[in-house]
């Protein structure tokens, strides 16, 4: 997917060969490509979380605050290693974790409702 020219440009980044509006258009195209890849990875992560939720039986297991801290710490360190502002990565992951936790809680509630009175 990368469009390397001259071998020195990182994958997916067009060299700075244009100025002004043309360069903005090039960079926006690169961002669009990155967004497609990021959403694909988020969808894959969501599938794994759905499968994981099948093995969880209660709200504390879904919320897993120790695991959340572990993931956010790892994301912070990964961002630093990639020369990215860690607060951006951590904020994005906080939002992701919040939404996926909400999804898991709904899945857990739906499973409990389907089990009927014996499952409560």
């Amino acid at each position: 997917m990368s469009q390397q020219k001259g071998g020195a440009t990182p994958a997916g980044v067009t060299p700075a060969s244009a100025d002004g509006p043309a360069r903005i258009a090039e960079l926006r195209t690169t961002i669009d490509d990155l967004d497609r890849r990021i959403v694909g990875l988020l969808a894959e992560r969501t599938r794994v979380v759905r499968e994981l939720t099948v093995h969880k039986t209660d709200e504390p297991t879904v919320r897993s605050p120790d695991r959340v801290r572990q993931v956010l710490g790892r994301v912070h360190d990964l961002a630093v290693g990639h020369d990215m502002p860690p607060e951006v990565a951590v904020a994005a992951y906080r939002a992701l974790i919040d939404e996926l936790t909400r999804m898991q809680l709904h899945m857990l509630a739906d499973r409990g409702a389907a089990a009927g009175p014996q499952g409560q």
Side-chain angles (χ1 to χ4, degrees), residues 53 56-59 62 104-112:
T53 306
K56 295 182 178 184
T57 58
D58 56 30
E59 184 173 337
V62 167
Q104 290 181 84
L105 291 171
H106 286 307
M107 289 175 66
L108 193 63
D110 290 347
R111 196 167 65 221

Side-chain angles (χ1 to χ4, degrees), residues 14-120:
T14 305
S17 58
D19 290 330
R23 183 65 179 146
I24 289 171
E26 288 175 358
L27 292 171
R28 286 180 175 164
T29 298
T30 299
I31 288 171
D32 291 346
D33 181 55
L34 290 168
D35 288 343
R36 278 188 288 281
R37 292 166 40 203
I38 290 166
V39 170
L41 290 170
L42 290 172
E44 184 177 346
R45 190 182 196 285
T46 299
R47 283 190 292 276
V48 172
V49 169
R50 281 190 179 113
E51 182 177 347
L52 179 64
T53 306
V54 170
H55 303 283
K56 295 182 178 184
T57 58
D58 56 30
E59 184 173 337
T61 307
V62 167
R63 292 196 181 276
S64 303
D66 290 339
R67 174 65 176 153
V68 170
R69 279 190 291 280
Q70 179 187 40
V71 169
L72 293 177
R74 184 175 40 81
V75 164
H76 177 280
D77 294 347
L78 286 168
V80 169
H82 284 280
D83 197 29
M84 173 186 184
E87 58 276 7
V88 173
V90 169
Y93 265 78
R94 279 188 196 281
L96 177 63
I97 290 167
D98 287 349
E99 290 304 316
L100 291 177
T101 297
R102 192 175 347 275
M103 180 192 77
Q104 290 181 84
L105 291 171
H106 286 307
M107 289 175 66
L108 193 63
D110 290 347
R111 196 167 65 221
Q118 298 98 349
Q120 296 178 358

